[in-house]
Structure formats: C-alpha cells, structure tokens
Amino acid sequence: MSFYTLIKVMAAQLLMPLPFCTGLLFFGLLLRLRWRRAGGSVVVIAVLLLVLLSWAPVADRLLGPVEARHPALHDWPPEESVAAVMVLGGGYQPHQPWVVTGQLSEASANRLLEGLRLWHRRPDALLLVSGADRRAGVEPMARAFGRIAMDIGVPDTHLRMLDFATDTGEEARAAARVLGEGTQLLLVTSASHMPRAMVHFRNAGLRPIAAPTHYLARRDDTDRLSYWIPSARHLEKSERAIYEWLGMLATRWER
C-alpha cells in the first residue's frame, strides 16, 4: 500500500461522523480540566453534531443531492453504441461460511443485480465486474461477481473479471485497458458513489453512462415516527455523504 493510499484510507476513517464526534467529545472533556466553560461547549457541540447527523431530515438533505446527481437508468439507452456493462465492486466477506450471495454487502448485491438486469437487455455486450482487496490472500470480489453471473447464464466469453483493481481509479483504468479509450459503457454503482465514479471513468478516457442503484436517502416516509428519531441507520447516510465528498476532493490529486 502506497503512502498516499494509507493517508487516504486513514483520513476516510477518522473523518467519519462517529470517530470524529467521539474524538471531539474526548477533546472537550480534556479541555474541561483546564478551561471548564470552553471544554463544556466543545462537549455540547460534539453531542449535538452526532445527534443531528443521525437525524433523517439532516441525513437525507446531505445524501439526497449526491444520489440525485445522475438520474436512474430504467432501460438500455436508445441509439447509443454501448459496448459493455460494468459493475463496480463493494463490500465482500469471502471468509464467512455463507453462500456467495450472502457474502456480498447490500451495496454489492444491489450493484450486481442492476448490472445483470441491464446486461440481459443486450446480452451481446460485455459484462465487466471488478473489485479486489488490498489484503494479501483475500479472494477478490470480482471473482464472486463472476461466479454468480455465470450461474445465472452469462457466458464466460462475454464476462471480464477485473480482479486486481482495489479502488475506483484503478477500476476505471483497468476498464480502459480492456475496452480501449473512447468506449461507451454503462457504469453501475451505488447512487452516492456515482458522481465520483463518473469522474474517474472520464479521466480514464472512457464514455460512461450512469446507471445508479442502491439508494439510501429518502426511504423513510415523513409521517412515520422512525423518520424523526435519530438512529444509526440515518447516521450511515450522513457518513456516506461525507465519504463521497472527501472522495470527490481526492480525485483532484488522482488524475
């Protein structure tokens, strides 16, 4: 792992809402030992910030605009010369004694399902699946995607497993090597991840058409009590929004 990648991974973890607010809370408690009023204010800010980020009205307003950046793709685009459908990797737990579909995270399962739905509209196209782990000896999730795809009828002649790409930039460059620069493809990933993925794929010289899936924001009706009570589920939405903002910022140094 390169030094830049290490810094990027650490920043992405430490700047997430829960560790950031927890760190701010402990800082406030330490500050109270010498400056009681200032420390108390920091503690209050940390608690309020965590509560607000766990509250659906705030979380949905943070994540909703990110997910809405690219419209849903309901059908194969008409009059477009699309050579491939590409499904980006997500979470995967190959060491668990579960069936392969259970080893996929919710995001990964949604992405693969949408990719297969689109590919079956035009089965003469290539299906590219990607994803690898930075840890040695861990099976790349691209292979799990590939096994599932072949189990439901995708021929291996139309399947490419990019099982070495560990982040979105690498996935984009790998796709460009397989397809060639200037190729048009349907790009399938989570709606929140799509804006950043589109930047990487355009920078790689490809012409991606967004096919977002796995929406998290605005799934709760406002007339339900659960919408107004802070919860870990809503905190996840805020975390996803902040993660993607940081990711978009990082793309400026990854061209």
Side-chain angles (χ1 to χ4, degrees):
M1 182 184 297
S2 68
F3 180 72
Y4 170 74
T5 301
L6 178 62
I7 293 298
K8 185 173 67 171
V9 170
M10 289 181 61
Q13 295 299 319
L14 295 176
L15 294 178
M16 291 300 100
L18 187 56
F20 179 81
C21 291
T22 302
L24 194 62
L25 176 64
F26 278 109
F27 175 71
L29 292 174
L30 289 175
L31 201 61
R32 276 174 55 89
L33 298 177
R34 186 173 180 86
W35 295 284
R36 185 176 181 84
R37 181 174 296 180
S41 298
V42 173
V43 169
V44 170
I45 290 171
V47 173
L48 284 177
L49 183 60
L50 186 59
V51 170
L52 285 173
L53 292 173
S54 305
W55 194 41
V58 173
D60 282 352
R61 281 168 175 76
L62 291 176
L63 185 59
V66 181
E67 292 189 335
R69 193 84 58 84
H70 295 278
L73 184 67
H74 296 285
D75 208 340
W76 196 274
E79 301 178 2
E80 295 285 358
S81 178
V82 177
V85 177
M86 180 158 185
V87 180
L88 301 189
Y92 177 47
Q93 295 178 289
H95 295 314
Q96 294 291 354
W98 307 327
V99 295
V100 64
T101 51
Q103 292 171 340
L104 302 181
S105 68
E106 179 184 334
S108 298
N110 270 261
R111 295 176 188 186
L112 181 59
L113 180 62
E114 178 62 10
L116 291 169
R117 182 187 76 86
L118 290 169
W119 180 84
H120 275 285
R121 299 291 179 96
R122 192 71 60 85
D124 56 326
L126 281 176
L127 176 65
L128 278 66
V129 293
S130 64
D133 201 293
R134 290 189 175 94
R135 296 168 296 174
V138 178
E139 183 190 45
M141 77 167 312
R143 296 181 192 171
F145 276 170
R147 289 200 302 275
I148 295 170
M150 287 189 287
D151 281 348
I152 62 175
V154 179
D156 58 2
T157 54
H158 286 66
L159 180 65
R160 300 290 185 274
M161 290 178 279
L162 309 182
D163 57 4
F164 51 87
T166 59
D167 60 30
T168 311
E170 289 184 2
E171 289 174 315
R173 292 187 290 273
R177 288 193 293 271
V178 171
L179 299 173
E181 289 193 12
T183 301
Q184 194 166 51
L185 74 160
L186 303 187
L187 181 60
V188 182
T189 189
S190 300
S192 60
H193 181 231
M194 187 60 75
R196 181 159 59 98
M198 291 290 282
V199 170
H200 281 293
F201 276 74
R202 286 168 179 157
N203 288 345
L206 295 166
R207 294 188 295 138
I209 297 174
T213 185
H214 186 233
Y215 294 86
L216 296 178
R218 301 191 175 97
R219 284 192 171 272
D220 295 84
D221 295 329
T222 57
D223 59 352
R224 291 179 178 270
L225 181 62
S226 60
Y227 181 81
W228 301 101
I229 297 178
S231 73
R233 185 164 54 86
H234 300 315
L235 182 63
E236 180 187 1
K237 302 176 193 177
S238 296
E239 180 178 282
R240 176 50 50 185
I242 293 169
Y243 185 89
E244 291 303 328
W245 293 342
L246 292 172
M248 284 296 292
L249 183 63
T251 59
R252 299 183 180 184
W253 295 279
E254 296 178 356
R255 293 180 183 274

